[in-house]
Amino acid sequence: MPNFKTVDSSRISISELMKPNNSNFGGKIHGGYILNLMDQIAFACASKHSKAYCVTASVDTVDFLSPIEIGDLVTMKASINYVGRTSMVVGIRVESENITTGNVKHCNSSYFTMVAKDENGKSVEVPGLIVNDETEVKRFLKAIKRNETKRMRQKEFDSSSFSLHNYLEELKNYNVRVVLPEGDD
């Protein structure tokens, strides 16, 4: 019988005070720094679920919703949203709190796909996922839909039957000018 674990068993939360050395030229916390922290919590969450070393395979839907200020307390919450055979999707929510006013903002959400590895770098199977409520079921289903959409997009644009001319009319609705060399089909 396969091994299964609940979402709660690998849920992780970390908090860190944002300091000036993590800011960008605009005086806000640098997005790259936040992504680095997100990668760390994704690793911890996936490793906790799989009991294995994990690597980042992809990052999907990084939405920076609100800037983070110097002096804010940033809290990241991570949970396993989906598991495949050797991969896991870790959902991450980033919130910042102004510690003087108590105002909390949702600043970022993202999905990291992590793959479990053994000591030789080979992918290893991960435990299945037990989902306990409607939110956890929806997160699992949304991960399936994101994977399907990604595969369909790759199939559409990587196909040998792809024709640029099938899309030229659609591009007229966007802020782009298409200038192709003579005779380019």
Side-chain angles (χ1 to χ4, degrees):
M1 181 165 155
N3 182 22
F4 287 84
K5 295 174 81 173
T6 63
V7 172
D8 284 342
S9 69
S10 55
R11 195 178 304 273
I12 291 183
S13 178
I14 61 170
S15 295
E16 184 175 321
L17 186 64
M18 294 294 108
K19 299 175 284 224
N21 61 321
N22 299 319
S23 65
N24 59 26
F25 293 112
K28 308 297 183 194
I29 298 303
H30 195 284
Y33 182 70
I34 297 301
L35 283 170
N36 179 46
L37 292 176
M38 293 171 74
D39 191 53
Q40 290 177 44
I41 195 171
F43 166 82
C45 184
S47 294
K48 188 174 180 184
H49 179 81
S50 66
K51 298 290 187 219
Y53 177 77
C54 294
V55 297
T56 305
S58 69
V59 180
D60 190 17
T61 317
V62 179
D63 294 323
F64 290 99
L65 305 172
S66 184
I68 298 172
E69 307 292 335
I70 295 168
D72 282 356
L73 181 65
V74 168
T75 300
M76 296 187 180
K77 301 172 186 175
S79 63
I80 301 294
N81 287 3
Y82 169 87
V83 297
R85 193 177 67 76
T86 63
S87 67
M88 299 149 281
V89 173
V90 178
I92 303 170
R93 179 181 174 94
V94 179
E95 297 175 339
S96 70
E97 178 181 0
N98 180 311
I99 56 177
T100 58
T101 67
N103 184 40
V104 176
K105 301 182 296 189
H106 176 202
C107 297
N108 187 312
S109 289
S110 189
Y111 305 97
F112 280 60
T113 299
M114 308 297 288
V115 177
K117 300 287 186 173
D118 66 14
E119 58 278 351
N120 298 314
K122 299 235 186 240
S123 297
V124 295
E125 288 192 35
V126 300
L129 192 63
I130 298 169
V131 291
N132 287 315
D133 61 32
E134 186 175 335
T135 298
E136 291 175 359
V137 172
K138 281 179 13 182
R139 287 176 178 164
F140 196 93
L141 290 168
K142 285 169 75 174
I144 291 170
K145 293 295 183 187
R146 277 193 308 276
N147 285 339
E148 288 173 356
T149 300
K150 183 177 181 179
R151 277 193 295 276
M152 293 301 293
R153 185 175 55 246
Q154 286 172 334
K155 182 178 176 182
E156 178 181 1
F157 289 98
D158 294 343
S159 167
S160 61
S161 64
F162 175 81
S163 173
L164 174 67
H165 295 285
N166 293 340
Y167 295 89
L168 291 178
E169 189 63 33
E170 182 179 338
L171 289 174
K172 290 179 181 178
N173 298 320
Y174 293 90
N175 190 17
V176 62
R177 181 180 300 155
V178 179
V179 181
L180 299 174
E182 291 287 325
D184 193 7
D185 294 348

